[in-house]
Amino acid sequence: MTHALNLVWNPSEGINLGFFMIRYYSLMFVIAFGLGWFLMKKIFERENESIEKLDSLFVWTVLATLIGARLGHVFFYDWEYFRNHILEIFLPFKFEPEFQFTGFQGLASHGAAIAIIIAMYYYSKKILKRSLLWILDRVVIPVASGAIFVRLGNFFNSEIIGHETNSAFGIRFLHDTFSKAEAVQKTGIADPKEAYTAIATDPKFATLLAEVPSRHPTQLYEAFCYVFVFAILFFLYWRTNARLKSGLLFGLFLVLLFAVRFVVEFVKESQGGFESELGLFSTGQWLSIPFIIIGLFFIIRAQRNPLAES
C-alpha cells in the first residue's frame, strides 16, 4: 500500500510587515490580476488596440470576478444560510452569534465565469467596439493564468480540500481540522500561531496531530492542471491562427478548465449546494457541465467557419 508523505500543512497567514499583514490569499489575487493586466497589454499591442481601453477592461474584469464569484457562492452553494443573513452577502462580517470580521469567505468560479461573460458583453459594446467573441477569445488567456493563483490562494487558506487518502499525494491540513479557537483550547497556548506550531512539531501533542487526516490537495491538482490550460491557450494565440477562428479559444477554455474542475471534484470534499437533491454528481460538477457543452458548441462552430472574423 502507498502511504501519504505525512506533510503537515501549517502556513502562516501571510507576510508580516509589522504595521500591516499581507495575506497570502490576497497576494495571490494581486498577482493574478497583475499578470492578467500584463498579458492583456501584450495582446492589445499585438492587435493595435488602444492601451487606454485596457484600464477600463481591468476594472470591469476585477469587479466582475469578485462580485460574480461572491454571488455564485451565495446562490449556488449557501443560499439557505445567506437568505437569512442578507447583509453578510455584501459585508465582510458575521453578526451572529457575535460580531466578527470574517472577510469574504466563499467565492465560486462558476459565478465568476458568468459575471465575466456579462461584463465583457457590455465592455465590447460600450468601450471596445468589437464583437463579444473577439474579447472573450483573448481575455480567457489571463483568466486561465489567474485561476492558477486563485487555487494557490485556496491552498494557503487550507480550503477546498479533498477526501482523506493514503496516497503519496496526501497532505495534513492542520488549519482545516482545528480552528484557531480549538487549537488554543486544546493546547492551552494563548497564541494561535504558536498553538498550531506546537501541534505540528511538539511530541507532547502527538495525539492531537494524529487527529489530522491526510487529504488530497485538490487546490494543487487544479492549479497544476490550469498551468497546462493557460499554456495551451497562450501557445494557440501567439503561435497559430487560432485567434482568427471566432470563439475557438473561448470554447477551448470552457472545455479544458471546467473538464479539469469536473474531474478533480471526484476527490474533493463537498462544498454544499444542491447536490443532495440531484445526486450522482457534486454541485461543482453539475455547474461545470453546461460550461463544457457551451465550450464544445463554440469549438465546433469555429471549425465550421475556419476564418470567421471575430
Side-chain angles (χ1 to χ4, degrees):
M1 177 186 291
T2 303
H3 293 281
L5 296 176
N6 247 3
L7 173 65
V8 178
W9 183 235
N10 178 33
S12 64
E13 291 186 57
I15 302 171
N16 193 341
L17 301 179
F19 60 93
F20 183 70
M21 171 74 77
I22 303 176
R23 299 186 183 277
Y24 290 123
Y25 187 67
S26 301
L27 180 61
M28 292 301 104
F29 266 89
V30 170
I31 293 173
F33 287 125
L35 178 59
W37 182 90
F38 174 78
L39 290 170
M40 283 306 296
K41 179 175 181 290
K42 294 298 182 183
I43 291 172
F44 269 40
E45 289 173 346
R46 183 186 195 187
E47 305 282 357
N48 295 315
E49 272 297 337
S50 170
I51 299 301
E52 293 179 1
K53 296 178 181 179
L54 186 60
D55 291 337
S56 55
L57 173 64
F58 180 78
V59 172
W60 284 58
T61 305
V62 170
L63 290 177
T65 300
L66 297 179
I67 294 173
R70 179 59 173 170
L71 293 180
H73 173 77
V74 168
F75 292 113
F76 295 149
Y77 289 96
D78 212 3
W79 177 238
E80 285 303 310
Y81 173 82
F82 284 105
R83 65 195 294 240
N84 298 313
H85 303 84
I86 298 297
L87 285 179
E88 291 181 22
I89 297 175
F90 308 102
L91 299 175
F93 307 109
K94 270 187 178 295
F95 296 94
E96 297 176 358
E98 59 184 19
F99 182 80
Q100 178 186 3
F101 176 79
T102 59
F104 289 109
Q105 295 180 336
L107 299 172
S109 58
H110 299 91
I114 294 170
I116 289 173
I117 292 171
I118 294 172
M120 290 306 99
Y121 172 79
Y122 285 100
Y123 174 79
S124 65
K125 300 298 181 186
K126 301 294 184 181
I127 298 172
L128 193 60
K129 309 300 183 184
R130 284 184 182 258
S131 74
L132 173 61
L133 284 178
W134 187 94
I135 187 61
L136 287 177
D137 278 335
R138 288 150 180 81
V139 80
V140 292
I141 299 172
V143 169
S145 71
I148 301 168
F149 293 98
V150 170
R151 283 297 178 250
L152 291 178
N154 295 140
F155 181 66
F156 279 109
N157 267 11
S158 299
E159 60 190 5
I160 314 183
I161 60 176
H163 300 319
E164 293 185 22
T165 179
N166 288 321
S167 76
F169 300 109
I171 291 179
R172 304 168 80 176
F173 292 93
L174 188 60
H175 294 212
D176 174 74
T177 303
F178 301 117
S179 67
K180 290 181 179 179
E182 288 172 331
V184 168
Q185 185 266 324
K186 289 177 180 292
T187 61
I189 299 173
D191 182 81
K193 182 179 178 181
E194 293 180 7
Y196 280 129
T197 301
I199 295 173
T201 61
D202 192 334
K204 183 170 63 175
F205 300 109
T207 54
L208 289 178
L209 184 59
E211 296 179 30
V212 183
S214 293
R215 296 182 178 275
H216 286 287
T218 48
Q219 323 94 324
L220 297 185
Y221 296 168
E222 286 192 54
F224 178 76
C225 292
Y226 292 160
V227 170
F228 291 96
V229 175
F230 165 71
I232 290 169
L233 295 173
F234 185 88
F235 174 81
L236 290 175
Y237 174 79
W238 286 99
R239 300 299 182 185
T240 73
N241 67 346
R243 71 185 186 283
L244 302 177
K245 300 179 181 181
S246 181
L248 177 60
L249 293 176
F250 173 60
L252 195 58
F253 165 82
L254 292 180
V255 170
L256 292 176
L257 187 130
F258 287 104
V260 168
R261 178 68 184 271
F262 187 91
V263 172
V264 174
E265 285 280 330
F266 281 114
V267 294
K268 186 184 294 184
E269 283 287 281
S270 172
Q271 304 297 304
F274 49 77
E275 58 196 46
S276 58
E277 286 78 19
L278 295 180
L280 190 60
F281 296 131
S282 70
T283 300
Q285 287 174 316
W286 281 116
L287 291 172
S288 295
I289 291 172
F291 286 99
I292 294 172
I293 294 172
I294 293 169
L296 289 172
F297 166 79
F298 280 107
I299 291 173
I300 295 170
R301 175 182 178 275
Q303 295 302 336
R304 288 178 176 175
N305 302 279
L307 293 177
E309 185 174 344
S310 312

